[in-house]
Amino acid sequence: MFSYRHAFHAGNHADVIKHLTVIATLQHLQQKEGGITIVDTHAGAGLYRLDGDYSETGGEAKDGIFKLLSQLDAASAKKDAKPIPEALQAYLDMIASFNPNGQAKFYPGSPFILHAMLRKDARDKLRLFELHPTDSKALASNVAQLDAGRSIMIAREDGFESLKKLLPPPPSATGSKRAMVLMDPSYEIKSDYGKVAANIQDCLKRFATGTYLVWYPIIARPEAHDLPKRLRTLSNQSQKPWLNLTLSIGRNTDGSSAGLSASGMFVVNAPFTLKDKLREAMEVVGPALARGSGHSWAVEHS
Ligand code: SAM
């Protein structure tokens, strides 16, 4: 427990699809007036240096945001360059807003992305949970610089457990109850897979209309293989629309398969516009991040 530090992985291909999906989903939800309770059950440190010691050691942004940006740069120089799809543009704008000098030196984690999207009149609330002793301190000091007041609450608590206290969410000023939850564990321990499924089942009982986003790794482990199937069954049993986005960047150029090469984002109560938005984005992201044999992407939905 606690050997996982997101700083080693910030900006990798998994972060790209995770944050692309989070932004597109919240943008859709914010088309309605009512305030939203946004919960990030596994928040991480909030903001990462892409030129720091951790990211240099892992170098995972090379197969993620760095590769995406350089491929897009090369494509934009061509005569028949196509416009960037809307959801991808929103993601790129978000990364650019943390890097005003042009070079990608900082990568925003989900807490900073979600904070940047809170509507300025404080109707949306952000609730962050991070259990790691060092990362929870880093998160608190990063968030302190945002001067976010009472829109953000941070707790060094178990996100799976604490989520229960927040659902159903309090009514917003318009009287409506709305919530979006990002569940993004490190899956360091096998029991995380079961906890995710059990939590989503519990969430649907407590607040059936919430939008729930789960990131999961695609690896050769039965629990990992079963998780999206279990989420699909839970959604179907509750008659909730779901979406499952997967990306595999394929094998390493030397043919080896070391490191994480594939992951997915499962959305319960997926907005109806999300599938087309993500498909358009993935038509660019998928090929841009393809590394070797076995690369693929898909957007499945109910
Ligand atoms: N959501 C972050 C982002 O997109 O920037 C990345 C989160 S990282 C994949 C998972 C985090 O969950 C780690 O920082 C880990 O310390 C933390 N963690 C692990 N178990 C936890 C738990 N039960 N409750 C809250 N945080 C936990």
Side-chain angles (χ1 to χ4, degrees):
M1 182 73 179
F2 287 148
S3 60
Y4 182 94
R5 308 291 306 280
H6 195 67
F8 289 110
H9 311 281
N12 68 1
H13 57 89
D15 266 3
V16 172
I17 61 159
K18 181 200 308 171
H19 297 147
L20 177 74
T21 307
V22 164
I23 294 168
T25 304
L26 187 52
Q27 272 189 338
H28 177 92
L29 296 180
Q30 287 178 329
Q31 285 171 10
K32 281 197 188 152
E33 286 298 304
I36 307 168
T37 298
I38 304 166
V39 188
D40 193 348
T41 58
H42 297 71
L47 186 67
Y48 305 95
R49 283 200 75 107
L50 289 175
D51 56 357
D53 289 346
Y54 290 118
S55 50
E56 281 299 300
T57 312
E60 293 193 14
K62 282 197 206 86
D63 281 334
I65 186 64
F66 286 147
K67 187 163 180 190
L68 180 62
L69 292 174
S70 73
Q71 295 279 327
L72 290 174
D73 240 15
S76 71
K78 290 188 183 150
K79 254 205 254 148
D80 58 348
K82 292 193 183 128
I84 305 274
E86 192 186 326
L88 177 55
Q89 190 60 57
Y91 169 72
L92 295 172
D93 289 346
M94 177 64 73
I95 305 304
S97 70
F98 288 90
N99 294 284
N101 297 334
Q103 273 204 320
K105 285 199 172 170
F106 292 96
Y107 191 84
S110 49
F112 269 52
I113 291 175
L114 293 167
H115 168 261
M117 295 184 73
L118 296 179
R119 287 171 284 187
K120 300 298 167 233
D121 54 10
R123 74 186 115 150
D124 301 323
K125 306 284 178 219
L126 180 55
R127 306 296 179 231
L128 306 170
F129 298 101
E130 171 54 51
L131 208 46
H132 194 289
T134 314
D135 277 354
S136 61
K137 269 193 206 138
L139 176 65
S141 83
N142 284 332
V143 168
Q145 293 171 29
L146 294 173
D147 200 14
R150 285 195 292 171
S151 297
I152 301 194
M153 181 279 299
I154 308 176
R156 190 183 155 201
E157 291 174 13
D158 180 339
F160 289 125
E161 281 306 312
S162 296
L163 174 60
K164 297 177 182 165
K165 296 183 282 194
L166 298 174
L167 297 176
S172 68
T174 61
S176 62
K177 291 183 183 179
R178 308 181 69 207
M180 179 179 116
V181 176
L182 170 63
M183 207 175 281
D184 180 25
S186 39
Y187 300 93
E188 254 182 295
I189 34 175
K190 239 178 16 179
S191 56
D192 274 356
Y193 294 96
K195 282 187 184 172
V196 167
N199 259 253
I200 293 296
Q201 186 167 23
D202 183 64
C203 287
L204 284 167
K205 278 196 196 124
R206 286 173 192 272
F207 188 55
T209 54
T211 302
Y212 302 102
L213 298 97
V214 174
W215 178 84
Y216 62 92
I218 300 179
I219 51 176
R221 174 177 260 228
E223 297 83 3
H225 189 249
D226 285 348
L227 181 56
K229 290 190 193 162
R230 291 174 74 182
L231 295 175
R232 190 181 311 197
T233 304
L234 287 171
S235 307
N236 287 339
Q237 281 168 348
S238 312
Q239 297 180 312
K240 300 297 176 199
W242 56 265
L243 177 146
N244 187 30
L245 161 62
T246 53
L247 171 69
S248 167
I249 62 169
R251 299 178 80 80
N252 287 311
T253 35
D254 63 4
S256 70
S257 56
L260 181 73
S261 67
S263 71
M265 272 299 275
F266 196 97
V267 187
V268 184
N269 277 325
F272 69 98
T273 54
L274 197 59
K275 56 179 183 309
D276 290 340
K277 291 238 160 78
L278 290 181
R279 268 200 193 118
E280 280 167 19
M282 291 306 294
E283 274 164 18
V284 179
V285 174
L289 295 187
R291 180 174 64 179
S293 63
H295 69 84
S296 65
W297 65 268
V299 177
E300 300 170 300
H301 59 91
S302 52

